[in-house]
């Protein structure tokens, strides 16, 4: 393990497309979505212990989830939990992380990754991350892991890479980022062979990414650089509470990655899903002979290709349906076509408007 290797895990989202299991007071990163007894956050933390030590893993979250983070990761300290007072997308949170880590170690080389990805092969994942860390340690590079696509998925962003290897094998320059495409465009991406899924996993030196912010996102840099004397002190949170909400709400992809010219990618294959919605979990889960994924006590009759989740102590009986989501969380029952899962986020907002925050 390199002494300058750090990890930042992004764990501040609501997971609204996993409603009604994912709620405002306990979003999906704190749930045992995979069914192995660990939350997604715990699984992600354990995975990164293969790369560095626990004291060099930091959690970036909303301030309301600080105690939940401590409950799930008792081995980390308060100084390792970066508490955002507002949800301003990923660009401000990455900048905050970079300033903090650069203050700890001017040579810090770090991975920033979401807390809610499902990784099948942890060993191959670690090998790809280590390759990326070696590259960014030696080059002025902003590197993102790209996932070699196996289907024309319309729910992921894409990365187009140049057909030109750099001095390090399997590290390619990035030509452009593409937003979530429609199906014909996604099929074209897959056929071309030079597009990867954007996994939102970034590797860079703290100094390199801060230089990029100074050039491409000067408003964020100007605001957060005022805290140089406060990061990693008792005054850090007070500074962040005052200045962080003033930053623009923008993703790091838009703020930095679409403008910078020193962007690289590694095409990776370690079995990845972002678990952004129920359909991703359905795709990754074991199914019965009729294509159903079942959790809890469920009795079926003439039911196919459905995802059915029953709460503990409740029997759910379903019959005569296909391609359905049935998510029973006790106080909320969601019954919805599986192929319309992307509507759940908007549906959650309607429930909040009509019935209040108690159900979201």
């Amino acid at each position: 393990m390199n002494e300058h290797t750090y990890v930042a895990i992004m764990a501040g989202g609501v997971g609204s497309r996993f409603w009604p299991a994912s709620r405002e007071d306990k979003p999906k990163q704190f749930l045992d979505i995979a069914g192995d007894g660990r939350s997604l956050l715990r699984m992600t933390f354990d995975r990164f212990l293969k790369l560095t030590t626990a004291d060099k893993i930091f959690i970036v979250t909303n301030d309301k989830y600080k105690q939940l983070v401590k409950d799930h990761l008792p081995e980390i300290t308060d100084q390792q939990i970066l508490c955002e007072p507002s949800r301003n997308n990923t660009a401000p949170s990455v900048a905050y992380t970079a300033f903090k880590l650069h203050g700890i170690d001017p040579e810090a080389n770090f991975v920033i990754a979401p807390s809610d990805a499902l990784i099948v092969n942890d060993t191959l994942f670690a090998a790809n991350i280590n390759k990326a860390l070696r590259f960014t340690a030696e080059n002025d590079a902003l590197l993102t892991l790209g996932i070699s696509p196996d289907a024309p998925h319309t729910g992921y962003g894409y990365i187009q890479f140049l057909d030109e290897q750099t001095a390090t094998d399997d590290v390619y320059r990035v030509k452009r980022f593409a937003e979530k495409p429609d199906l014909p465009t996604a099929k074209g991406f897959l056929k071309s062979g030079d597009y990867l899924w954007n996994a939102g996993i970034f590797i860079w030196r703290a100094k390199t990414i801060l230089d990029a912010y100074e050039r491409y996102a000067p408003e964020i840099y100007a605001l957060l650089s005022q805290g140089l004397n406060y990061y990693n002190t008792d005054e850090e949170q007070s500074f962040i509470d005052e200045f962080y909400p003033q930053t623009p709400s923008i993703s790091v992809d838009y703020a930095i990655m679409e403008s910078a010219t020193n962007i690289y990618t590694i095409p990776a294959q370690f079995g990845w899903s972002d678990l952004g919605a129920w359909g991703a979990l359905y795709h990754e889960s074991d199914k019965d002979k009729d294509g159903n994924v079942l959790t809890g006590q469920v009795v079926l009759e003439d039911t196919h290709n459905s995802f059915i989740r029953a709460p503990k102590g409740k029997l759910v009986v379903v019959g005569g349906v296909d391609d359905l989501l049935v998510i029973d969380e006790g106080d909320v029952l969601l019954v919805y076509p599986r192929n319309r899962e992307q509507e759940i986020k908007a549906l959650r907002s309607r429930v909040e408007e009509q019935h209040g925050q108690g159900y979201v």
Side-chain angles (χ1 to χ4, degrees), residues 181-197:
D182 57 22
L183 186 57
T185 303
K187 288 180 177 179
F189 288 171
L190 197 67
K191 186 177 180 180
S192 72
D194 59 353
Y195 281 85
L196 307 167
W197 289 334

Side-chain angles (χ1 to χ4, degrees), residues 3-107:
E3 63 176 324
H4 301 299
T5 295
Y6 297 80
V7 172
I9 300 172
M10 311 287 277
V14 178
S16 54
R17 287 180 293 166
F18 256 102
W19 182 80
S22 182
R23 304 289 183 95
E24 180 71 32
D25 60 348
K26 193 174 183 180
K28 68 175 179 177
Q29 59 267 31
F30 301 105
L31 303 179
D32 178 16
I33 293 290
D36 79 340
R38 296 177 296 166
S39 66
L40 289 173
L41 175 60
R42 182 75 236 186
M43 290 176 66
T44 304
F45 184 86
D46 290 346
R47 184 178 304 124
F48 280 115
L49 288 175
K50 295 180 171 62
L51 293 166
T52 192
T53 52
D55 62 304
K56 292 183 177 178
I57 301 178
F58 292 73
I59 310 301
V60 187
T61 191
N62 189 272
D63 56 6
K64 70 171 62 178
Y65 303 136
K66 182 176 182 178
Q67 187 56 51
L68 274 173
V69 170
K70 294 171 71 173
D71 292 344
H72 286 250
L73 307 175
E75 57 266 68
I76 70 173
T77 67
D78 285 1
Q79 275 296 316
Q80 291 170 256
I81 306 174
L82 286 69
C83 293
E84 304 166 329
S86 58
R87 291 189 173 105
N88 290 20
N89 215 313
T90 56
S93 58
V94 170
Y96 173 20
T97 304
F99 276 116
K100 182 176 177 69
L101 293 183
H102 190 265
I104 294 171
D105 178 359
E107 297 300 316

